[in-house]
Every structure is written in structure tokens, then in C-alpha cells.
């Protein structure tokens, strides 16, 4: 049974967390290089927020959005 759990430990430490270990070692050499993935995710989120806000504005301007408080039966 112990070998089973040690096998799971090996799998997670050596396979699943290999990228995390690489980034941890890279941070000691180059902070910006290790945080590049964070900057990429922040840029993707910023683009998604801008797109979402533009779509909300588009729907609001076209009158498709029902702003009536009685639009749902449970709000009456």
C-alpha cells in the first residue's frame, strides 16, 4: 500500500508539477521570465473584459436588453 501512495507522490512531483518546478527555478534567474505566463493571462482577461463591455453596450443601445423590473415573474 505504501508503494501505491509513493507512486502517486512521484507522479505529482515529477510529472504534473514539472512546469511549476521549472518556473520556480527560473524565478531565481529571471523574475520577468517566470512571470510571463501571468502577464499573458492578465492580457487575455483585459481583452475579454473590453469585449464583454462592448457587447453589453451594443445590446443596451439596440434595445434588446429588457430593463423593466417586472421582466421576471418572481419580481412582481
Amino acid at each position: 500500500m505504501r508503494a501505491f501512495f509513493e507512486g502517486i507522490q512521484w507522479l505529482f512531483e515529477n510529472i504534473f508539477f514539472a512546469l511549476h518546478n521549472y518556473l520556480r527555478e527560473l524565478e531565481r534567474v529571471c523574475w520577468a521570465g517566470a512571470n510571463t505566463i501571468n502577464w499573458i493571462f492578465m492580457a487575455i482577461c483585459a481583452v475579454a473584459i473590453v469585449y464583454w463591455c462592448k457587447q453589453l453596450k451594443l445590446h443596451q443601445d439596440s434595445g434588446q436588453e429588457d430593463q423593466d423590473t417586472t421582466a421576471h415573474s418572481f419580481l412582481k
Side-chain angles (χ1 to χ4, degrees), residues 1-74:
M1 190 66 163
R2 181 177 175 159
F4 173 73
F5 288 109
E6 287 177 351
I8 292 174
Q9 175 188 354
W10 179 87
L11 180 70
F12 275 87
E13 287 180 352
N14 296 328
I15 305 298
F16 293 150
F17 294 142
L19 178 61
H20 297 283
N21 292 334
Y22 171 73
L23 291 173
R24 185 178 58 208
E25 294 298 323
L26 181 62
E27 186 178 19
R28 295 179 183 163
V29 177
C30 176
W31 178 85
N35 287 299
T36 301
I37 200 163
N38 294 332
W39 291 104
I40 291 170
F41 284 139
M42 287 193 301
I44 290 170
C45 288
V47 169
I49 289 170
V50 168
Y51 174 76
W52 183 259
C53 289
K54 284 185 176 184
Q55 290 297 315
L56 287 175
K57 180 72 172 144
L58 183 90
H59 286 288
Q60 186 177 12
D61 292 343
S62 68
Q64 291 178 348
E65 187 68 28
D66 187 10
Q67 296 289 331
D68 187 16
T69 57
T70 59
H72 299 286
S73 61
F74 60 86

